[in-house]
Amino acid sequence: MGAGPGQTLRVTVWGEGRHEQTDPDVARRYPTGMHGAVAEAVRRNLGDGVDVRTAVLDEPEQGLPDDVLEATDVLTWWGHAAHEEVDDALVERLHQRVLAGMGLVVLHSGHHSKIFRRLMGTTCNLLWRNEGDRELVWTVAPSHPIAAGVPNPIVIPAHEMYGEYFDIPVPDELVFVSSFTGGEVFRSGCTFRRGNGKVVYFSPGDQDYPVYHHPDVQRVLANAVAWSAPPGDLPGLPPVARASPGWFEPGPS
Amino acid sequence: MGAGPGQTLRVTVWGEGRHEQTDPDVARRYPTGMHGAVAEAVRRNLGDGVDVRTAVLDEPEQGLPDDVLEATDVLTWWGHAAHEEVDDALVERLHQRVLAGMGLVVLHSGHHSKIFRRLMGTTCNLLWRNEGDRELVWTVAPSHPIAAGVPNPIVIPAHEMYGEYFDIPVPDELVFVSSFTGGEVFRSGCTFRRGNGKVVYFSPGDQDYPVYHHPDVQRVLANAVAWSAPPGDLPGLPPVARASPGWFEPGPS
Amino acid sequence: MGAGPGQTLRVTVWGEGRHEQTDPDVARRYPTGMHGAVAEAVRRNLGDGVDVRTAVLDEPEQGLPDDVLEATDVLTWWGHAAHEEVDDALVERLHQRVLAGMGLVVLHSGHHSKIFRRLMGTTCNLLWRNEGDRELVWTVAPSHPIAAGVPNPIVIPAHEMYGEYFDIPVPDELVFVSSFTGGEVFRSGCTFRRGNGKVVYFSPGDQDYPVYHHPDVQRVLANAVAWSAPPGDLPGLPPVARASPGWFEPGPS
Amino acid sequence: MGAGPGQTLRVTVWGEGRHEQTDPDVARRYPTGMHGAVAEAVRRNLGDGVDVRTAVLDEPEQGLPDDVLEATDVLTWWGHAAHEEVDDALVERLHQRVLAGMGLVVLHSGHHSKIFRRLMGTTCNLLWRNEGDRELVWTVAPSHPIAAGVPNPIVIPAHEMYGEYFDIPVPDELVFVSSFTGGEVFRSGCTFRRGNGKVVYFSPGDQDYPVYHHPDVQRVLANAVAWSAPPGDLPGLPPVARASPGWFEPGPS
């Protein structure tokens, strides 16, 4: 099943889930985990058409056994401290599933996750500073569905700074550009088509700030999930195949 | 003649030239006109391979009679207060020449010039504030020739703010994004291929600030001129033509 | 009213409507006009969520009086022989409405229409040959909604050839590339964001062939209409405005 | 040393070099190897400003020991039968060097090489048929330097067919689109910026056809090498770094 008309969009919100265990401030800020806040944002904005579950690193099979992944149309990914613990075999399965059509929404420090770096083919390096800069998230593609329903700019009173140069491929679509109190800028909302799948990177969301409780950020999270959804059942991997002359011609009836 | 190997690149720096006449501060800031400073920047950085002339609105035929335009490989354009005075017939000639292959570098308030709006097909509207914000010009395409040789960011101590949403088509290449003291961001360096010609928009350069004396800005101006140069003689307008079957096959010898 | 959740998408299918009057073959091929076939394609595929009307050049106010245009969320445009007869004032109104957020789907010979050339800023020239080449329409962006539900390639047994170089700006998204019996290729499905509006160009659809009765072509027409729809009420033109420092900050409650 | 003004551009043409050993037809067709023909094309077109060497898989360290790679500004890559034999450690070094600024020109069946797939993040799958289709290589970006000096289309009398869907990221710039006798199309000339490096994919060049002796193909090879050259010394990898507030401000003199 997938996300076509009359179908329910199946979303899995994956979280590393470590800061919530080790840092009481994070646990207080996100009582259901950061993944809990992201899941709630998707549910609140997309309503009945969506079925959202959460998964975390410390669950069996790192939260994504085959049956879960095969029942996921869109996956959101937040990680930070434990990127290297994610199994390479899982990364390979994630990669194949994105190329086969699953949507992927990579959040904040997920820029350095194995799956994002593999999909991008670059270092995904950037500048950073965790000193509570105000972040302004400016829309530069006002007709893009990911920017629907949010003010221009979104004002995030305090956040970690992420700054250019952000070493990603040129995005297919640049939706948001952020500025920070210190003067840095960052391409904070980007889309990438890869194989039959759609990938969104959205940078707001550090564990040290209540960013995922921000209504405008929540709306973008939901928009990104909706935008990256496959049209129905996943199309599968693009084939490599020998093609006979005229293979596309209608056959005899 | 054009800009191929062994050829001299012929650059015409067009300036509106009005603020220099009416505002003593501008005249003091730019004793040879703003166009004089732009021309000097191109000469200094591109050296012997370039032949630079200037032209201003109040000259005969608005500085761009046929013989001048036909001897121009790359045109730079700065205008502000007198966009509407530019003859529609001249705009038509400029448009045709860009589509035929001439490079065009549009500067700052030239965003609202007739030629830029005609090439873009949009309003080219933006937000602005003339209160001496510091502008930081960030490179987001480090391997692009237009960004060669400048620091990331370029620091402009005081400048007019130009802010998003900047109503232009999605640039073919986004080279620079600026931030301002007030927190606004702006896509300040953009390229656009149109017909056989190349167009660059670069936003720094308000009459109330000595921006065109800034060495890094000067380097970008020269880089933009070099990048937008045609490969030799102008290719001419892309044709509309009936094509017989096999028209591209080599003929009998 | 617009095209948000629970709203009806209001589509106006504009046709030049001349070939149907002067060429009996075209009249036989398209008994309700080419516009009739396009309208039917949209209705059949988008169903109850859409309200489709048709308009033609020879109606009062060229089919698009203010009240009709103001009640149009997406406009499709087919013209060929009478581009020059379209009033410049109407073109200006169309242009403003697209920039304000209306979707526009330009079809086939509409590449040379005044509104498309104005939005593109280029000649929109191309090569052509009307000798019944087979056209294959290849999808190069398989995850794009405009390509949903059609085979790769779409096979059009006989059609007019349109060939490169097609003088348009680089499309924001290239969805389809066609080949023809004679070996020419053409970027036949392209999207362009302009202002707050979305523009699609789709080339199949010559009056001398029953292309608009082709089920796959019909599906693309409907997909293009759906994709270019505004999110609800039209946002209006992007503003030019002076911005005070901190204008975006939340006010006192 | 690198490729700035007055510097010599150092090009390494890497070839798998196996078909030449195992297939007498290939050996006859390319007496100095396919790599020899590619090297000759670059030398002939770029002349004195370039220093070209060749390297093949069966040389020590697969032809690319550290000192060779560190003396390479642009690398061209042709492989086919032995992609899996290329050492992962070498692929890692190639990847790092491209991101640090080295140009990379990937040719034909190199689409499935480890380095290209790693840079793209996709399967790079495609359709193929080796039956001597005529390939027409159409320019869709006439002002791009990679298309300079070649006819539109380039006519290749007989070649292997490569067809869509070609599973690559959306190219930053699409320069060429090919058609084949059988009706397939292919995005045959593409550019991609990755890190500080520039990547070109150009599809003509199968071992079973004398494509690399074709003067127009040779010109494109040389253009691609010139376009992907770094501006001087390689900039190095984009950094990940903490940035103190105001780090970009000029220090005290």
Side-chain angles (χ1 to χ4, degrees):
Chain A
M1 210 179 84
Q7 291 183 311
T8 298
L9 181 66
R10 302 165 308 172
V11 180
T12 301
V13 172
W14 192 91
E16 189 178 276
R18 289 282 174 79
H19 293 290
E20 296 91 332
Q21 301 175 44
T22 60
D23 183 337
D25 286 340
V26 177
R28 255 190 305 272
R29 191 173 295 119
Y30 291 111
T32 62
M34 299 184 74
H35 44 281
V38 172
E40 180 56 25
V42 176
R43 281 192 201 101
R44 181 173 301 149
N45 283 281
L46 297 186
D48 290 344
V50 69
D51 177 16
V52 185
R53 74 169 85 192
T54 61
V56 296
L57 180 63
D58 289 332
E59 292 172 354
E61 302 191 50
Q62 305 196 321
L64 292 170
D66 275 356
D67 62 325
V68 170
L69 193 54
E70 281 161 21
T72 299
D73 300 315
V74 177
L75 178 71
T76 74
W77 192 271
W78 192 100
H80 178 223
H83 291 320
E84 290 312 306
E85 293 182 42
V86 177
D87 283 345
D88 287 337
L90 173 57
V91 175
E92 176 64 19
R93 285 164 53 224
L94 294 175
H95 190 200
Q96 295 295 303
R97 190 158 172 91
V98 170
L99 298 181
M102 182 179 71
L104 179 69
V105 179
V106 176
L107 297 171
H108 191 61
S109 41
H111 73 92
H112 261 168
S113 63
K114 289 180 178 179
I115 181 59
F116 191 60
R117 286 188 291 128
R118 181 176 298 201
L119 282 160
M120 297 294 105
T122 55
T123 66
C124 302
N125 285 342
L126 47 72
L127 302 186
W128 60 275
R129 176 178 60 244
N130 193 1
E131 302 190 11
D133 283 60
R134 179 192 65 189
E135 177 172 354
L136 302 173
V137 184
W138 297 89
T139 295
V140 297
S143 62
H144 200 287
I146 293 180
V150 297
N152 193 5
I154 300 171
V155 180
I156 300 176
H159 196 220
E160 185 180 26
M161 183 279 289
Y162 271 12
E164 299 283 345
Y165 174 65
F166 182 22
D167 181 27
I168 50 171
V170 179
D172 295 353
E173 299 169 304
L174 180 62
V175 181
F176 299 119
V177 174
S178 289
S179 72
F180 295 85
T181 309
E184 285 89 354
V185 300
F186 193 67
R187 287 170 292 168
S188 50
C190 303
T191 75
F192 307 90
R193 297 177 186 275
R194 290 297 183 269
N196 281 311
K198 290 187 267 189
V199 179
V200 179
Y201 177 76
F202 182 57
S203 66
D206 189 76
Q207 72 276 1
D208 289 339
Y209 307 88
V211 174
Y212 289 143
H213 297 311
H214 190 303
D216 298 328
V217 170
Q218 290 187 346
R219 176 68 189 265
V220 173
L221 293 172
N223 287 345
V225 165
W227 181 84
S228 62
D233 294 338
L234 261 56
L237 286 179
V240 57
R242 191 190 165 281
S244 299
W247 58 272
F248 43 75
E249 296 287 3
S253 57
Chain B
M1 211 178 83
Q7 292 182 312
T8 299
L9 181 66
R10 302 165 308 173
V11 180
T12 300
V13 173
W14 191 91
E16 190 178 275
R18 289 284 172 78
H19 293 290
E20 296 91 332
Q21 300 175 44
T22 59
D23 184 336
D25 286 340
V26 178
R28 254 189 306 272
R29 190 172 296 118
Y30 291 111
T32 61
M34 298 184 74
H35 45 280
V38 172
E40 181 56 24
V42 176
R43 280 192 201 101
R44 180 173 302 150
N45 284 282
L46 298 187
D48 290 345
V50 68
D51 178 15
V52 184
R53 72 170 86 191
T54 61
V56 296
L57 179 64
D58 289 333
E59 292 172 353
E61 302 191 50
Q62 305 195 322
L64 292 169
D66 275 356
D67 62 325
V68 170
L69 193 54
E70 281 161 21
T72 299
D73 299 315
V74 176
L75 178 70
T76 76
W77 192 271
W78 193 100
H80 177 225
H83 290 320
E84 290 312 306
E85 293 182 42
V86 177
D87 284 344
D88 287 337
L90 173 57
V91 174
E92 176 65 19
R93 285 165 53 223
L94 294 175
H95 189 201
Q96 295 295 302
R97 191 157 172 91
V98 169
L99 298 180
M102 181 179 73
L104 178 69
V105 179
V106 175
L107 298 171
H108 192 59
S109 42
H111 73 93
H112 260 167
S113 63
K114 289 180 177 177
I115 181 60
F116 190 61
R117 286 188 290 129
R118 181 177 297 201
L119 281 160
M120 296 296 105
T122 56
T123 66
C124 302
N125 284 342
L126 47 71
L127 303 186
W128 60 275
R129 174 178 62 244
N130 194 2
E131 303 190 9
D133 283 60
R134 179 192 65 189
E135 177 171 356
L136 301 174
V137 184
W138 297 89
T139 295
V140 296
S143 63
H144 199 288
I146 292 180
V150 296
N152 192 7
I154 300 172
V155 180
I156 300 176
H159 196 219
E160 186 180 25
M161 183 280 288
Y162 272 12
E164 299 284 344
Y165 176 64
F166 182 23
D167 181 27
I168 50 172
V170 179
D172 295 353
E173 299 168 304
L174 180 63
V175 181
F176 300 119
V177 174
S178 289
S179 72
F180 295 85
T181 308
E184 286 89 354
V185 300
F186 194 67
R187 289 169 291 169
S188 50
C190 303
T191 75
F192 307 90
R193 296 177 187 273
R194 292 296 183 270
N196 281 311
K198 290 187 266 190
V199 179
V200 179
Y201 176 76
F202 182 57
S203 65
D206 189 77
Q207 72 276 0
D208 289 339
Y209 307 87
V211 175
Y212 289 143
H213 297 311
H214 190 303
D216 298 328
V217 169
Q218 291 187 346
R219 176 68 189 267
V220 174
L221 294 172
N223 287 345
V225 164
W227 181 84
S228 63
D233 294 337
L234 263 57
L237 287 179
V240 56
R242 189 190 167 282
S244 298
W247 59 272
F248 43 75
E249 296 287 3
S253 57
Chain C
M1 209 178 85
Q7 292 184 312
T8 298
L9 181 66
R10 301 164 309 173
V11 180
T12 300
V13 173
W14 191 90
E16 189 179 276
R18 288 283 172 79
H19 292 290
E20 296 90 333
Q21 300 175 44
T22 60
D23 183 335
D25 286 341
V26 177
R28 255 189 304 272
R29 191 172 296 119
Y30 291 111
T32 61
M34 299 184 74
H35 44 281
V38 173
E40 181 56 24
V42 177
R43 281 191 200 101
R44 181 173 302 150
N45 284 280
L46 297 187
D48 289 344
V50 69
D51 178 16
V52 184
R53 73 170 85 191
T54 61
V56 295
L57 179 64
D58 289 332
E59 292 172 353
E61 302 190 51
Q62 305 195 324
L64 292 170
D66 276 356
D67 62 326
V68 170
L69 194 53
E70 281 161 21
T72 298
D73 300 315
V74 177
L75 179 70
T76 76
W77 191 270
W78 193 100
H80 177 223
H83 290 320
E84 290 312 305
E85 293 182 41
V86 177
D87 283 345
D88 287 337
L90 172 57
V91 175
E92 175 65 19
R93 285 164 53 223
L94 294 174
H95 190 201
Q96 295 296 302
R97 190 158 173 91
V98 170
L99 298 180
M102 181 179 73
L104 179 68
V105 179
V106 175
L107 298 171
H108 192 61
S109 42
H111 73 91
H112 261 167
S113 62
K114 289 179 177 178
I115 181 59
F116 191 60
R117 286 187 291 128
R118 181 176 297 201
L119 281 160
M120 296 296 105
T122 55
T123 66
C124 301
N125 285 343
L126 48 71
L127 302 187
W128 61 275
R129 175 179 61 244
N130 193 2
E131 301 190 10
D133 283 61
R134 179 191 64 190
E135 177 172 354
L136 302 173
V137 184
W138 297 90
T139 295
V140 295
S143 63
H144 200 287
I146 292 180
V150 297
N152 192 6
I154 299 171
V155 180
I156 300 175
H159 196 220
E160 185 180 25
M161 183 280 288
Y162 272 13
E164 298 284 344
Y165 177 63
F166 182 23
D167 181 27
I168 49 172
V170 179
D172 295 353
E173 299 168 304
L174 180 63
V175 181
F176 300 120
V177 173
S178 289
S179 72
F180 296 85
T181 308
E184 286 89 355
V185 300
F186 193 68
R187 289 169 291 169
S188 50
C190 303
T191 75
F192 307 90
R193 296 177 187 273
R194 291 295 183 271
N196 281 311
K198 290 187 266 189
V199 179
V200 178
Y201 177 76
F202 182 57
S203 65
D206 189 77
Q207 72 276 0
D208 289 339
Y209 307 87
V211 175
Y212 288 142
H213 298 310
H214 190 303
D216 298 328
V217 170
Q218 290 187 346
R219 177 68 188 267
V220 173
L221 293 172
N223 287 345
V225 164
W227 181 84
S228 63
D233 294 337
L234 262 56
L237 287 179
V240 57
R242 190 190 167 283
S244 298
W247 59 270
F248 43 77
E249 296 287 4
S253 58
Chain D
M1 211 178 84
Q7 291 183 312
T8 299
L9 180 67
R10 302 164 307 172
V11 180
T12 301
V13 172
W14 191 91
E16 189 178 276
R18 289 281 175 80
H19 293 290
E20 296 90 332
Q21 300 175 44
T22 60
D23 184 336
D25 286 340
V26 177
R28 255 189 305 271
R29 191 172 295 120
Y30 290 110
T32 61
M34 299 183 73
H35 44 281
V38 172
E40 181 56 25
V42 176
R43 282 191 200 102
R44 182 174 300 149
N45 283 282
L46 297 186
D48 289 345
V50 69
D51 178 16
V52 184
R53 73 170 86 191
T54 61
V56 296
L57 179 63
D58 289 332
E59 291 172 354
E61 302 191 50
Q62 305 195 322
L64 292 169
D66 276 357
D67 62 324
V68 170
L69 194 53
E70 281 161 20
T72 299
D73 300 314
V74 177
L75 179 71
T76 75
W77 192 272
W78 192 100
H80 178 224
H83 291 320
E84 290 312 305
E85 293 182 41
V86 177
D87 283 345
D88 288 337
L90 173 57
V91 175
E92 177 63 19
R93 286 163 54 223
L94 294 175
H95 190 201
Q96 295 295 303
R97 191 158 172 91
V98 170
L99 298 180
M102 182 180 72
L104 178 69
V105 179
V106 175
L107 297 171
H108 192 60
S109 41
H111 72 92
H112 260 168
S113 62
K114 289 180 178 178
I115 181 59
F116 191 61
R117 286 188 292 128
R118 182 177 296 201
L119 282 160
M120 297 295 105
T122 56
T123 66
C124 302
N125 284 343
L126 47 72
L127 303 186
W128 59 276
R129 176 179 60 245
N130 193 2
E131 302 190 12
D133 283 60
R134 179 192 64 189
E135 177 172 355
L136 301 173
V137 184
W138 297 89
T139 295
V140 297
S143 63
H144 200 287
I146 292 180
V150 297
N152 192 6
I154 299 171
V155 180
I156 300 175
H159 197 220
E160 186 181 25
M161 183 280 288
Y162 271 13
E164 299 284 347
Y165 175 64
F166 182 23
D167 181 28
I168 49 172
V170 179
D172 295 354
E173 299 168 304
L174 180 63
V175 181
F176 299 119
V177 174
S178 288
S179 72
F180 295 85
T181 308
E184 286 89 355
V185 300
F186 193 67
R187 288 170 291 169
S188 49
C190 303
T191 74
F192 307 89
R193 296 176 187 274
R194 291 297 182 271
N196 281 311
K198 289 187 267 189
V199 179
V200 179
Y201 177 76
F202 182 57
S203 65
D206 189 77
Q207 72 276 2
D208 290 338
Y209 307 87
V211 174
Y212 289 143
H213 297 310
H214 190 303
D216 298 328
V217 170
Q218 291 187 345
R219 176 68 188 267
V220 173
L221 294 171
N223 287 345
V225 165
W227 181 84
S228 62
D233 293 338
L234 261 57
L237 286 178
V240 57
R242 189 190 167 283
S244 298
W247 59 271
F248 43 76
E249 296 286 4
S253 58

